[in-house]
Amino acid sequence: MLRSHQHSAYFEPWLEFQQPIVRQLAFAVASPNLLLHAPAELQLKHAFELHTNVEWQQHFENYLPRLRQLDRASAELENFLQQLKSTRLGLRFEYLLYFWLLDQDYHPYQLLGHSIQKIEGAKTRGELDFLLLNQDSKCIEHWEVALKYYLAEGNFLLQQWFGLNRNDTLAKKLRHFTEKQFQFTDALGYNIERRVAVMKGQLYLPDHPNISAIETIAPWINLQRRVGLWGTSIPTQSFYRLQRHEWLCPNATATALPAKWWTDGLYYQPERQQFYMYRHPNLLLPGRSQLNNI
């Protein structure tokens, strides 16, 4: 099992909360991005930034009183998420950030718009997730958010990170950011001055990986956050299978017994806080997918 790159302690403050939905909100705010910066091999058509680990830690510290309040009484947050008509985790993650951004007493952002469609004539050119005024810098910011789970293969090159559907790759997502999602210069009558990708979730390395390779070949990977494992064999340690919403953050207490029958999905070992993505080998072939779109 993967050991050498794991830190003795991570910044994972979402684990202190008891309510599952509040743990998920704390993860959405506090978790670092998957990447430290855009990979050098990515050709940037429209440049974008990623927040630093320190920025997300500061956002969490500012939001901590509110999170503790919600952990005592989470009805407001639960009611807010009931407006979701989709079960997709990516949309749930977006709405958790939406809830946080609406709480304007805890951060410097004024929310100007959410899910803003850009239409020219009868054609929709695209949609902006969030348009914000940063009241500290006075800049208008365009944020695109994504919750992603990518599994590394080969030598961890950019094109060798695959999503749950193998047609979804990290390289393709980053190209979509720079070519499509960040193409706009204005929205709602505001000139966009800063473009920011909020890309969270989890990365998975093959069991017994070459850690020096990932640090050398992929220095853009954020190793200040917990990285999971993936494989096609069943570990000898005791894992249980996580429910769909627990992919954001496992509940405070185990939601299942240790797995005896393994199916494709995400498993968790709470003693080591180890995540393991089990993949059936037949479903690693091109064009095959073993899990629904998250």
Side-chain angles (χ1 to χ4, degrees):
M1 281 295 189
L2 177 62
R3 298 181 190 277
S4 59
H5 86 291
Q6 296 282 31
H7 297 193
S8 58
Y10 287 90
F11 182 73
E12 296 177 326
W14 47 88
L15 299 177
E16 75 173 73
F17 303 101
Q18 295 303 307
Q19 298 292 335
I21 198 169
V22 180
R23 290 166 72 91
Q24 294 164 28
L25 175 60
F27 170 85
V29 174
S31 176
N33 283 306
L34 297 180
L35 310 185
L36 292 172
H37 53 76
E41 55 267 48
L42 177 69
Q43 294 185 354
L44 293 175
K45 184 173 182 179
H46 303 286
F48 62 90
E49 306 173 44
L50 295 102
H51 295 106
T52 66
N53 297 341
V54 172
E55 286 179 281
W56 287 118
Q57 289 182 22
Q58 188 59 59
H59 287 322
F60 169 78
E61 295 296 338
N62 293 342
Y63 204 45
L64 182 55
R66 176 69 161 140
L67 287 165
R68 287 175 173 163
Q69 178 190 63
L70 290 166
D71 206 31
R72 294 190 295 270
S74 60
E76 182 181 357
L77 176 57
E78 291 170 356
N79 291 338
F80 182 83
L81 290 185
Q82 282 180 0
Q83 64 187 296
L84 284 173
K85 305 304 180 185
S86 170
T87 60
R88 288 184 56 218
L89 275 186
L91 191 57
R92 185 179 183 86
F93 171 69
E94 179 181 327
Y95 268 69
L96 288 167
L97 287 176
Y98 188 16
F99 183 90
W100 166 64
L101 288 169
L102 287 170
D103 264 341
Q104 292 191 185
D105 292 338
Y106 300 94
H107 54 70
Y109 305 108
Q110 178 186 345
L111 181 60
L112 302 175
H114 170 241
S115 295
I116 305 161
Q117 289 193 337
K118 296 286 286 186
I119 300 173
E120 288 185 0
K123 182 179 180 181
T124 300
R125 292 182 58 202
E127 184 175 285
L128 290 76
D129 286 342
F130 295 105
L131 188 71
L132 308 165
L133 168 62
N134 186 324
Q135 297 178 101
D136 287 343
S137 67
K138 309 304 180 186
C139 285
I140 300 297
E141 301 187 3
H142 167 201
W143 288 15
E144 287 295 320
V145 305
L147 181 75
K148 290 293 183 179
Y149 300 85
Y150 289 116
L151 284 63
E153 297 184 9
N155 294 321
F156 314 136
L157 298 173
L158 179 59
Q159 64 270 25
Q160 294 176 317
W161 294 80
F162 293 89
L164 306 180
N165 181 326
R166 289 184 66 83
N167 292 323
D168 173 24
T169 67
L170 175 57
K172 183 182 291 186
K173 179 58 182 175
L174 293 177
R175 286 197 301 270
H176 188 60
F177 271 145
T178 188
E179 295 174 5
K180 300 294 184 182
Q181 291 182 283
F182 288 120
Q183 66 177 295
F184 304 109
T185 59
D186 64 89
L188 301 180
Y190 297 95
N191 291 325
I192 295 171
E193 300 167 281
R194 188 186 185 207
R195 297 167 180 82
V196 184
V198 178
M199 194 174 190
K200 302 191 180 186
Q202 194 164 37
L203 299 177
Y204 298 86
L205 302 179
D207 203 353
H208 304 295
N210 183 345
I211 296 304
S212 61
I214 189 172
E215 294 176 338
T216 301
I217 298 172
W220 34 267
I221 295 299
N222 191 352
L223 292 179
Q224 295 300 309
R225 52 168 300 136
R226 191 178 299 276
V227 178
L229 291 173
W230 77 271
T232 57
S233 60
I234 298 173
T236 56
Q237 296 95 333
S238 178
F239 284 75
Y240 68 91
R241 194 172 193 269
L242 292 178
Q243 299 178 21
R244 188 180 185 86
H245 287 172
E246 289 187 283
W247 285 41
L248 282 162
C249 177
N251 290 1
T253 56
T255 55
L257 295 173
K260 293 183 179 179
W261 305 101
W262 284 65
T263 59
D264 299 304
L266 182 58
Y267 292 76
Y268 185 59
Q269 215 279 349
E271 288 75 21
R272 291 195 177 95
Q273 295 181 41
Q274 179 67 67
F275 293 88
Y276 185 84
M277 185 74 77
Y278 175 73
R279 305 269 282 178
H280 193 284
N282 289 345
L283 294 170
L284 294 178
L285 298 174
R288 303 292 296 276
S289 172
Q290 96 278 19
L291 291 170
N292 292 328
N293 186 4
I294 62 168

